[in-house]
Amino acid sequence: MSDAYLLVLVRVARRLSLGVCAVSALSIRSLSDLTPTEFENLTLDLVVRLGLKNAVWRTPGRDGGRDIQGDSFVSDFSGFVSRSSWYVECKRYADTVSWPNVWEKISYADSNSADVLLVVTTSTLSPQAIDEVNRWNNAHKNPSVRFWNRQDVEARLGLHLDIKVKYGLSHTPIQDAALSMIELSKVLLKYSNSITACVEFSGVLERRLDVVQTLSELISARLAEIEQYGRISVIPFRPNYDAPDWLKQVEAVQGKGFDRYAFRCIAALIHCHSSSSEVIIADASANKLTLQAGPVVEELLPDLKTIAFWGGLNIASDSNSIIIESQYAAN
C-alpha cells in the first residue's frame, strides 16, 4: 500500500473523528438553496445513476435552462430489449409548475422525437397540471409525461449519499463523504497496489505514480471542501500551473470550467493506459473537449466516470478519444 493511499486514509479518519463538531459550523442546504444550474446538474447525476443511458445536454431553452436527453432500455421476459428516448426538463421553482409550462415542454419534447417527458421540480405540479397530465397519459398520447416533485427527488436522493454530499444536501456530510468516496478510494488502491508489480515487471512506473498522486490530490481536496463547506467545489484548471509536460494544447482548457483536480486525474489515467508519449487536447468547444492518446481502453471508462463525478464532469468516448464535458461551464 502506497504512502499516498495511507495519507488519504489518515485524513479520512481524522475528519470522521472531528465530524460531529465540524458539521455544526456547516450550512446544510435544501433543494431550494441550489442554483438553477446546480439543480440541473444534480438531476443529470440522478437520472444517470438511475439508469438513463447516453445522457446529454440539449441546447438551452428560452428560459436559459439546459435540458437533458437520454435513452432507457427495458428487457421483457422474451429477451427483447426496447429503447425509449427520454427528455428531462428541470424546474427549480418555488411556486407550482403550471399546465402551460408543461404543455410547452411537451411540444418541444415531441418536436425532438422523445417518447417520454420527465419534469423534475423543486416544488410540484399545479392541480390543473396534474389533471391535464393524467388526461394526456390516459389518452396514450406521445410523448408520455412523468414528473418528480420535491418529495420524489428527495426520496431518490436518500438512496444516493454521494450525490447529496456533492451538492451539500447531506446533514452529516463528513461521515457520508467517507462512505461516498469508497469507489474513488478503490481506484486509488488499485493503482497503488499496481506500483509494486510495475517495478517487478518493468512497467511504466512514472505514469502509475502520476495516477496515484492525482487521485490522492483529488480525494484530499474534496474531503477538505466537504469538511469546510459541506459540499464540493470546482477549482478551475490553470494551464500554466497544472498541466504536466506530456499534456499538449492545454490552452484549450482555459475558462471552460474544468475542475483542476479531476481533470488532471483523468488525463493521468488516460496517459497511464496509452502507448503514446503525449495526451493531446483537441476539438474544444464552450464546455467540451476531447483527449486523444490512441485507442481507448473500454475497461477504463468506469474509473474515469467515478473520477469525473467528483469534479462536475461528464465522460463519453469513441474508439480513439475521451470526450469530457463540464457541468459548470456557462450555459
Side-chain angles (χ1 to χ4, degrees):
M1 186 177 298
S2 73
D3 291 342
Y5 187 68
L6 286 172
L7 179 59
V8 169
L9 291 180
V10 169
R11 288 176 176 172
V12 170
R14 176 181 176 274
R15 288 188 168 99
L16 282 175
S17 67
L18 297 175
V20 175
C21 297
V23 74
S24 62
L26 299 176
S27 175
I28 306 302
R29 309 165 93 197
S30 69
L31 289 175
S32 301
D33 296 320
L34 301 181
T35 67
T37 297
E38 285 177 321
F39 183 62
E40 291 166 353
N41 292 340
L42 178 146
T43 301
L44 176 63
D45 284 338
L46 191 54
V47 296
V48 168
R49 186 65 57 80
L50 293 173
L52 191 69
K53 306 297 184 182
N54 308 318
V56 295
W57 294 120
R58 301 279 309 176
T59 302
R62 288 188 299 176
D63 59 359
R66 299 169 301 175
D67 305 307
I68 303 162
Q69 188 166 13
D71 299 314
S72 175
F73 297 90
V74 178
S75 176
D76 63 26
F77 68 89
S78 73
F80 177 78
V81 178
S82 60
R83 168 189 170 275
S84 58
S85 174
W86 283 62
Y87 178 88
V88 183
E89 168 65 20
C90 307
K91 293 292 187 185
R92 182 194 165 278
Y93 280 11
D95 298 326
T96 58
V97 181
S98 67
W99 170 242
N101 282 329
V102 176
W103 170 247
E104 179 183 11
K105 294 304 177 180
I106 289 175
S107 300
Y108 189 58
D110 185 44
S111 70
N112 284 276
S113 303
D115 299 305
V116 184
L117 168 68
L118 171 63
V119 179
V120 183
T121 177
T122 54
S123 57
T124 188
L125 270 61
S126 70
Q128 180 197 15
I130 293 174
D131 289 343
E132 293 295 338
V133 164
N134 288 335
R135 291 192 186 96
W136 179 273
N137 289 332
N138 289 337
H140 303 290
K141 294 182 179 181
N142 198 61
S144 300
V145 181
R146 306 286 186 266
F147 69 91
W148 292 347
N149 60 26
R150 184 189 190 93
Q151 289 72 29
D152 295 323
V153 176
E154 290 175 341
R156 287 163 174 81
L157 284 174
L159 302 176
H160 300 282
L161 290 179
D162 54 347
I163 299 179
K164 294 184 70 173
V165 168
K166 180 177 179 179
Y167 294 96
L169 301 173
S170 170
H171 288 271
T172 54
I174 299 171
Q175 293 91 328
D176 290 345
L179 295 174
S180 300
M181 290 191 178
I182 286 177
E183 291 304 313
L184 194 58
S185 298
K186 286 180 180 178
V187 180
L188 173 58
L189 182 58
K190 176 169 63 177
Y191 284 89
S192 298
N193 289 339
S194 74
I195 289 175
T196 301
C198 179
V199 172
E200 292 176 354
F201 295 103
S202 301
V204 186
L205 175 61
E206 184 176 350
R207 297 191 184 192
R208 283 173 170 78
L209 287 173
D210 284 343
V211 173
V212 170
Q213 178 184 350
T214 55
L215 274 165
S216 300
E217 290 175 347
L218 172 62
I219 294 173
S220 295
R222 298 295 96 111
L223 285 172
E225 292 158 1
I226 292 166
E227 181 181 9
Q228 184 171 1
Y229 306 113
R231 62 184 186 276
I232 74 167
S233 302
V234 170
I235 312 300
F237 182 86
R238 305 164 300 175
N240 293 335
Y241 299 96
D242 298 324
D245 293 339
W246 45 262
L247 185 62
K248 304 302 180 182
Q249 300 183 17
V250 293
E251 64 279 356
V253 190
Q254 186 72 45
K256 289 184 169 54
F258 285 78
D259 177 68
R260 174 191 310 168
Y261 301 104
F263 183 72
R264 279 167 51 88
C265 193
I266 288 169
L269 204 58
I270 294 171
H271 190 228
C272 181
H273 287 267
S274 171
S275 59
S276 173
S277 61
E278 299 177 345
V279 176
I280 301 172
I281 300 173
D283 302 325
S285 63
N287 66 329
K288 287 185 181 180
L289 55 78
T290 299
L291 293 180
Q292 296 178 337
V296 175
V297 180
E298 285 297 318
E299 292 77 10
L300 191 59
L301 285 177
D303 289 347
L304 289 175
K305 290 180 178 180
T306 297
I307 294 165
F309 173 85
W310 290 104
L313 302 172
N314 302 322
I315 292 285
S317 70
D318 58 29
S319 58
N320 289 301
S321 59
I322 296 291
I323 300 97
I324 308 177
E325 179 183 27
S326 170
Q327 294 180 342
Y328 294 94
N331 292 345

